[in-house]
Amino acid sequence: MSLLDIADLRVNYGQIEALKGISLTVSKREIIAILGANGAGKTTLMRTISGLLLPRSGTIHFDGVGITKLGADRIVRRGIAQSPEGRRVFGTLTVLENLRLGGFTRPHGEIAGSLDFVMSMFPRLAERRGQFAGTLSGGEQQMLAIGRALMAKPRLLLLDEPSLGLAPIIVQAIFRSLRQIARTGVTVLLVEQNARMALKLADRGYVLEVGRIVLTGEADTLLGSSEIQTAYLGGERSDGASLLS
Amino acid sequence: MDAKLKPLSQSVSIKGDTLFSRRIGLKGARRIAGGLWVLGLFVPALFDNAWISIAAIFAIYGIVALSEDIILGRAGMFDMGHAGYFGIGAYVTAILNVTFGWPIFATIPFAILVSAGVGALLAAPLIRLRGDYLLVATIGFNAIFVLAMRNNLGGITGGSGGITDIGVPFLFGFQLASQSAMFWLDWVVLGIVLVLMRNLDASEFGRTLRYLKQDELASTTLGVDSRMVKTLAFAIGAGLAGLAGTLFAVQISTVSPSSFVFTESVTLFAIVIVGGQGSIPGVLLGTALMFILPQIFRDFAQYRYLIFGFAMIAVMVLRPQGLWPQRSVRA
């Protein structure tokens, strides 16, 4: 049974149509990667799922319940948490406080257990628990953003560009942690420009281009496909034709 | 006083945040503030009537400025119509007292509720407006309020002359008619408001406001209902301004539209920005600069706005965080 079901989603910014009829499904315990270049609509899709944007039409169902018009805070309470693009940790709060804040929607008593879980996933955060988030490195901030989202104990974790601006070695560490997190039973929907990393982690992938899904399939298949090779993985273009068109 | 402080420091260590707990020497600062407040009680014994009324006006505008700070400084919403809520409170008291013969104290809950209600009603549709758009919309509200009062809305606001001969409050059979008694009333209410502000800072709601101000998107993704929190901030800020309105009506014994015009809102806005957003001592310092200093240099009183204008420019250039900033945001 699918955990997340999106049908013909259309989202506008004023006159500009950012998503032009997106349909996708995410099953329980799956890791799904959404690939695409800048401006493809990846972040728009994330923000619409999490309730920060209202779609013009189309529906979003989570665990069989329509959440299309729910406010962002309600959606968090239903079990969808996100690590937003650009991390957006609270720089003037400590690591620990940022994490506690992630449990905003939950009873105080339940937070300790999640805190232990996050610290075990990201030992680095345990080391730096008393440090102000603003003084962390980019990679540590990304870990904190993911950890903070996990504090809401989500069934679906949305990750918006976790590799953004990070050194390859850090990205690898973060993706290793993501795999571990997914093994605990959290379903992951990941938006990435780093197609190779994302597809290595994911079960399935969707390729987004100017608001439309142009390609979908098993991650391994996508990784091997010539379109992906040329468009995202720096492979040779044989025909010189425009990408994925 | 110590006993009262205890639960607060506990809450800081259990679930507080460093935005707050980093206020080193908090207890000491509180003692000084409490001491100053007690000293203030002796103003009537030490000064003449003119100065007592100046101190009373300081207390009243201090409350209004603190209430503006909830919306502007703590929630980060550009409210440039705050004199309107202040006016609603004053008019509610004036109308209920003069027209319907209610005792002053009985009008207080209504002054608060009507102002808070208007604040919330107004906020609900405006809340999604960003910075400058919200600012313009609140100016519109202020203008409508003043116009409505001038045009004798419903025949009960008295037109541009306003409402005169507002009664004096009675407390346990005593008439609070003297300048000193009224000052004490204002001073006690200021004290209560200060305690409320302190509790707001330490409360979950207060912290939520800070998170929202710092990063609304991040807060929302963590489950903060930003609409609700912002509307509530507007309602609380407006309600407190309404309370100050009652005190103002009693102090001046007259309410008229000219006391609540747009420039008054600008003054309140400036007090918060110049004094220090989210800082209780900063806001009170700003209020003192605006309402007490001109009395000391009475010969220059006509230059009040000129001097304050230059002060605003200087502060914004040299000290954008305000004269006495919130300690937490320094680090």
Side-chain angles (χ1 to χ4, degrees):
Chain A
M1 191 201 146
S2 63
L3 184 64
L4 185 71
D5 215 322
I6 297 178
D8 198 30
L9 198 66
R10 289 167 190 274
V11 181
N12 279 36
Y13 292 113
Q15 291 295 312
I16 299 155
E17 201 171 31
L19 295 184
K20 303 169 180 172
I22 299 267
S23 297
L24 61 83
T25 59
V26 180
S27 298
K28 272 178 188 155
R29 304 182 69 103
E30 252 190 329
I31 305 178
I32 301 294
I34 293 173
L35 313 173
N38 278 335
K42 300 185 305 279
T43 295
T44 304
L45 176 60
M46 283 300 200
R47 289 190 178 178
T48 312
I49 295 171
S50 58
L52 293 169
L53 292 173
L54 265 184
R56 190 166 60 94
S57 66
T59 57
I60 306 171
H61 284 82
F62 180 64
D63 215 4
V65 183
I67 58 163
T68 320
K69 289 190 174 139
L70 283 187
D73 57 299
R74 297 269 174 82
I75 288 175
V76 176
R77 280 166 227 268
R78 285 192 175 267
I80 302 181
Q82 76 163 329
S83 152
E85 186 186 25
R87 310 187 275 263
R88 307 192 86 132
V89 295
F90 290 90
T92 57
L93 298 186
T94 66
V95 169
L96 199 59
E97 285 161 352
N98 266 282
L99 290 176
R100 284 213 180 109
L101 197 46
F104 184 84
T105 56
R106 301 176 59 208
H108 284 287
E110 289 181 14
I111 287 177
S114 293
L115 214 47
D116 290 341
F117 171 68
V118 171
M119 299 283 193
S120 70
M121 288 294 139
F122 299 106
R124 216 33 184 282
L125 297 181
E127 286 166 32
R128 319 230 149 182
R129 62 175 72 202
Q131 206 168 315
F132 292 115
T135 66
L136 298 178
S137 73
E140 289 162 347
Q141 286 189 10
Q142 184 60 59
M143 292 174 196
L144 182 55
I146 296 170
R148 190 177 61 180
L150 285 174
M151 289 297 294
K153 205 168 188 192
R155 283 180 287 161
L156 176 63
L157 178 63
L158 306 179
L159 300 168
D160 199 342
E161 298 249 14
S163 76
L164 192 73
L166 302 180
I169 190 160
I170 308 281
V171 174
Q172 280 172 11
I174 286 174
F175 273 71
R176 269 198 303 277
S177 302
L178 289 179
R179 188 180 297 281
Q180 266 185 294
I181 289 163
R183 282 206 189 110
T184 65
V186 181
T187 308
V188 177
L189 181 61
L190 168 76
V191 150
E192 259 301 341
Q193 287 200 49
N194 188 336
R196 192 192 303 271
M197 285 304 298
L199 287 174
K200 276 186 185 163
L201 175 73
D203 301 308
R204 289 189 296 122
Y206 292 86
V207 178
L208 210 56
E209 207 168 80
V210 274
R212 286 199 178 84
I213 289 170
V214 292
L215 200 64
T216 174
E218 298 293 316
D220 295 341
T221 320
L222 287 178
L223 206 50
S225 80
S226 57
E227 286 108 320
I228 295 286
Q229 290 281 344
T230 41
Y232 297 105
L233 303 176
E236 294 283 311
R237 281 189 211 177
S238 52
D239 55 356
S242 76
L243 306 168
L244 302 171
S245 55
Chain B
M1 193 134 193
D2 262 335
K4 275 186 197 159
L5 285 167
K6 277 228 169 97
L8 177 71
S9 51
Q10 268 169 15
S11 80
V12 166
S13 60
I14 292 169
K15 52 173 192 173
D17 60 44
T18 32
L19 274 182
F20 190 80
S21 56
R22 215 177 314 134
R23 293 178 153 208
I24 307 148
L26 197 63
K27 263 190 173 175
R30 294 248 162 90
R31 285 219 182 91
I32 293 168
L36 283 175
W37 185 83
V38 171
L39 278 183
L41 288 173
F42 293 98
V43 163
L46 302 170
F47 294 95
D48 62 12
N49 261 351
W51 277 104
I52 297 168
S53 84
I54 290 166
I57 289 291
F58 165 77
I60 293 168
Y61 276 94
I63 297 168
V64 194
L66 287 169
S67 72
E68 163 88 308
D69 185 47
I70 293 175
I71 302 172
L72 171 62
R74 285 150 207 272
M77 295 183 285
F78 289 176
D79 170 18
M80 191 58 105
H82 208 65
Y85 308 119
F86 183 40
I88 289 172
Y91 266 95
V92 166
T93 290
I95 291 166
L96 288 178
N97 177 257
V98 174
T99 314
F100 296 99
W102 290 33
I104 295 291
F105 279 109
T107 70
I108 289 179
F110 290 89
I112 295 173
L113 282 177
V114 174
S115 309
V118 171
L121 275 180
L122 193 73
L126 296 184
I127 226 82
R128 57 180 73 208
L129 299 179
R130 304 239 152 235
D132 35 5
Y133 299 101
L134 178 64
L135 188 137
V136 171
T138 52
I139 291 174
F141 155 72
N142 201 159
I144 291 167
F145 171 75
V146 170
L147 214 63
M149 296 304 109
R150 279 217 177 104
N151 285 298
N152 202 3
L153 182 76
I156 54 171
T157 70
S160 55
I163 299 169
T164 54
D165 297 323
I166 293 162
V168 293
F170 285 85
L171 193 64
F172 307 124
F174 292 100
Q175 200 180 5
L176 304 184
S178 73
Q179 201 57 258
S180 308
M182 277 195 246
F183 162 77
W184 277 319
L185 173 66
D186 299 335
W187 202 247
V188 167
V189 176
L190 175 66
I192 294 170
V193 170
L194 286 173
V195 172
L196 288 178
M197 293 295 287
R198 184 198 78 174
N199 291 346
L200 176 78
D201 271 340
S203 70
E204 180 158 335
F205 180 70
R207 289 202 304 274
T208 308
L209 283 181
R210 287 196 291 275
Y211 304 144
L212 212 53
K213 187 186 179 190
Q214 201 173 345
D215 192 335
E216 182 169 353
L217 188 139
S219 306
T220 311
T221 66
L222 299 176
V224 173
D225 184 350
S226 66
R227 262 185 99 87
M228 181 69 189
V229 172
K230 285 173 153 188
T231 306
L232 208 53
F234 244 101
I236 295 172
L240 274 183
L243 170 65
T246 297
L247 299 178
F248 183 80
V250 171
Q251 176 72 27
I252 311 288
S253 85
T254 298
V255 295
S256 69
S258 59
S259 301
F260 310 109
V261 291
F262 167 63
T263 49
E264 293 295 314
S265 290
V266 175
T267 305
L268 292 167
F269 195 96
I271 283 173
V272 171
I273 301 287
V274 170
Q277 296 176 52
S279 156
I280 294 171
V283 170
L284 291 180
L285 179 65
T287 310
L289 288 180
M290 198 60 201
F291 288 99
I292 297 183
L293 213 58
Q295 304 296 336
I296 297 171
F297 301 102
R298 202 164 299 184
D299 294 344
F300 305 100
Q302 69 208 63
Y303 298 114
R304 180 167 83 144
Y305 284 101
L306 182 72
I307 294 167
F308 206 71
F310 275 114
M312 275 172 74
I313 295 171
V315 169
M316 286 305 93
V317 172
L318 303 172
R319 221 174 144 74
Q321 72 274 39
L323 290 173
W324 191 327
Q326 194 184 10
R327 282 206 193 185
S328 50
V329 291
R330 271 190 205 152

